[in-house]
Amino acid sequence: MVRSVLMQRMPNAIQLTDLSPDELVGLYAYPAGPAAPYIRVNFVTSIDGAVSVDGRSGGLGTPADKRVFGLLRSLADVIVVGAGTARAENYGAAHTDSTLRTRLWHHGFGGDPDGAAPRVAVVTSSAALDPTSRLFTDTGARPIVITTSAAPAENKRALAEAGAQVIEAGEATVSADRLRDALAELRLRRVLCEGGPALFGDLITAGAVDELCLTVSPMLVAGTERRIAVSPNAMPTPMHCRHLVFAEDGTILTRWERSHTR
């Protein structure tokens, strides 16, 4: 009864079980033909605000979250992640359904005309990544390393030899503007950022976040885990709630869009 009343009072509140696969795609489709990189950030958090369990976000995942996680990747041109998160989560290449990617493209929602998987781009000021890690050994689209001119040349050379496309986007740090410019030059406009908190914080303070897809996992964690965004200074940013999707297990899937995005 309470849930029924809630749905009536909040027209953008939806039951996940009421959605067909195509309707779920419609809820998360990127704006048609973005002229510049459109940055979508995706995070999962516990009820008490933890961003991970013992350093990894997978401990917060639920079936509903994993379903949307996969869809968001299928829609994107590129998955952007900070180096710390890439290491902690043992990132490899993105593996998506090629048929779905092609269908999404033809409907103007995202995806790829040939069904190719999205590329993974790691942001690191030092290029201090292990060239033998899954990111470089996993079969899939060529990884991108977005780094700086100050990063040690031997680091950049080792990553290039491991198969990465290494791009310098700044002298000592990779700013949000230089990150966007680098992605624009590669024609990667549907951007999915999967963290971590420091990269998300940098994007917020630069006014570069177009939307946030936030899953609230139905659990308490406590511990010393961080929040989803951290930065030296606060930057209050008004957001508009596009939808709230409720799963049977208590998972809440939310999508928030920056007020002036559309």
Side-chain angles (χ1 to χ4, degrees):
M1 178 63 181
V2 173
R3 179 175 292 175
S4 176
V5 172
L6 176 64
M7 299 300 179
Q8 292 173 8
R9 292 182 178 178
M10 299 180 64
N12 56 354
I14 310 161
Q15 274 293 116
L16 182 60
T17 52
D18 293 338
L19 294 171
S20 68
D22 286 346
E23 288 171 331
L24 189 63
V25 167
L27 287 180
Y28 286 101
Y30 280 89
Y38 180 95
I39 298 181
R40 163 183 284 167
V41 180
N42 184 42
F43 264 97
V44 59
T45 181
S46 65
I47 300 169
D48 58 336
V51 71
S52 59
V53 178
D54 296 328
R56 301 190 66 173
S57 63
L60 295 171
T62 66
D65 175 62
K66 292 174 182 177
R67 179 180 174 188
V68 170
F69 177 85
L71 174 59
L72 296 183
R73 284 188 157 205
S74 292
L75 288 163
D77 295 333
V78 62
I79 298 163
V80 175
V81 64
T85 297
R87 296 187 200 100
E89 304 281 353
N90 192 25
Y91 262 64
H95 298 285
T96 51
D97 184 320
S98 61
T99 301
L100 174 60
R101 292 270 291 166
T102 302
R103 188 164 66 87
L104 291 172
W105 172 268
H106 287 300
H107 284 84
F109 295 143
D112 182 84
D114 300 317
R119 299 179 71 181
V120 175
V122 179
V123 180
T124 166
S125 60
S126 63
L129 297 169
D130 181 358
T132 67
S133 66
R134 282 187 63 236
L135 184 67
F136 306 104
T137 61
D138 198 6
T139 303
R142 185 185 183 190
I144 305 167
V145 175
I146 301 178
T147 187
T148 64
S149 57
E154 59 270 25
N155 288 2
K156 290 181 280 192
R157 183 169 53 252
L159 298 180
E161 291 174 353
Q165 180 176 4
V166 179
I167 298 172
E168 293 181 353
E171 295 183 5
T173 62
V174 180
S175 69
D177 285 342
R178 294 298 298 272
L179 172 60
R180 288 169 62 94
D181 289 345
L183 296 174
E185 288 181 14
L186 294 172
R187 297 189 176 184
L188 300 173
R189 299 188 179 96
R190 296 178 178 90
V191 182
L192 174 63
C193 176
E194 294 181 347
L199 177 56
F200 186 21
D202 289 344
L203 294 173
I204 292 174
T205 56
V209 176
D210 292 300
E211 69 172 68
L212 168 65
C213 295
L214 178 65
T215 297
V216 181
S217 181
M219 67 176 70
L220 298 172
V221 173
T224 59
E225 303 297 344
R226 294 189 295 172
R227 56 189 291 180
I228 66 172
V230 294
S231 64
N233 302 300
M235 178 59 72
T237 304
M239 303 290 283
H240 171 70
C241 182
R242 298 289 295 177
H243 67 242
L244 303 171
V245 177
F246 296 88
E248 291 296 319
D249 65 358
T251 301
I252 306 174
L253 305 161
T254 74
R255 181 182 173 201
W256 304 84
E257 191 175 63
R258 193 164 46 146
S259 297
H260 65 275
T261 293
R262 289 184 182 269

